[in-house]
Amino acid sequence: MIRLKQLLREISKSDIQQCLDKIQRKEFRLIGAGDNGRVYEIDGEDKVFKITKEQDEYAVAAQIVDRYEEFTCFIPVYYVNEKKMLYIMSKADRLNVNDTINIEQFMKLYKQYARDMGGEVSIFDYLDAEGGRENNQEVISFIRALQTDIGKMDNLTGDLALDLDFKTDNI
């Protein structure tokens, strides 16, 4: 049985082509930029595309493309182009104020833990060590689900858990 949630997330080949045509015609606008690239909103669509500079970030997009039901902690990715290091994904809503505050608090405590431990620790290491005691349970549940999703990925270079760009603008 197909669930409504799945139908709403699916995108047809013609929808992808329509997005690619709009990108080709430059029918988009910049909505954000960071260390790893730029994100553009496609005119008249509920999709965005990102051009990244990071091979590892692109590798994650390539792993999760069209696998929305399996990787529930990631924004759905519908198309990837390795040559251009570009991918098309759903447009995400901003986090609400409470979630933003809770995640920022988690990150503050994690960064202090990482400094105390001398650096090379992941958010999962922190959570395993002591992160569950002082943090919001919704944040902890999300991070555990994210850890499960990352565990499902194959053949990624580097240590993704250490390279996560886990901040409120990316969630």
Side-chain angles (χ1 to χ4, degrees):
M1 177 180 215
I2 297 175
R3 293 187 285 186
L4 178 59
K5 184 177 177 182
Q6 181 180 356
L7 288 173
L8 292 174
R9 287 181 145 178
E10 288 182 354
I11 183 171
S12 71
K13 291 186 188 302
S14 64
D15 292 335
I16 291 285
Q17 191 56 54
Q18 180 176 314
C19 289
L20 291 171
D21 291 345
K22 286 183 176 187
I23 292 169
Q24 178 95 25
R25 292 189 305 263
K26 300 192 183 325
E27 295 176 16
F28 57 81
R29 66 180 182 86
L30 178 69
I31 59 171
D35 295 338
N36 295 339
R38 295 175 180 261
V39 178
Y40 301 88
E41 181 176 27
I42 302 169
D43 293 351
E45 303 289 337
D46 62 347
K47 310 286 181 288
V48 299
F49 72 95
K50 181 168 186 176
I51 299 174
T52 184
K53 299 178 210 170
E54 292 293 324
Q55 184 63 40
D56 289 344
E57 183 176 312
Y58 175 82
V60 169
Q63 285 256 338
I64 67 172
V65 66
D66 290 330
R67 295 170 73 185
Y68 344 108
E69 291 297 313
E70 187 177 349
F71 293 98
T72 59
C73 291
F74 291 92
I75 296 169
V77 174
Y78 303 108
Y79 170 85
V80 293
N81 181 312
E82 185 174 14
K83 183 178 177 185
K84 295 181 180 180
M85 299 281 284
L86 173 147
Y87 50 96
I88 296 174
M89 60 188 168
S90 286
K91 182 179 177 186
D93 295 326
R94 293 219 178 265
L95 289 174
N96 67 49
V97 174
N98 289 335
D99 289 341
T100 300
I101 290 168
N102 290 330
I103 291 167
E104 287 173 353
Q105 177 65 21
F106 175 89
M107 290 307 294
K108 178 181 172 186
L109 294 169
Y110 159 67
K111 287 175 183 177
Q112 182 58 51
Y113 174 78
R115 280 190 291 275
D116 293 347
M117 298 305 290
E120 292 286 314
V121 295
S122 73
I123 59 172
F124 310 126
D125 296 330
Y126 165 63
L127 205 54
D128 291 341
E130 61 184 66
R133 292 193 293 261
E134 300 177 35
N135 285 286
N136 176 278
Q137 288 303 307
E138 286 180 347
V139 173
I140 292 168
S141 294
F142 175 78
I143 293 171
R144 288 297 184 203
L146 178 63
Q147 186 175 24
T148 299
D149 276 1
I150 290 171
K152 297 176 194 173
M153 294 185 181
D154 310 321
N155 305 321
L156 292 178
T157 60
D159 189 349
L160 180 59
L162 290 173
D163 294 333
L164 281 178
D165 196 4
F166 189 77
K167 58 185 180 185
T168 57
D169 290 347
N170 291 341
I171 300 172

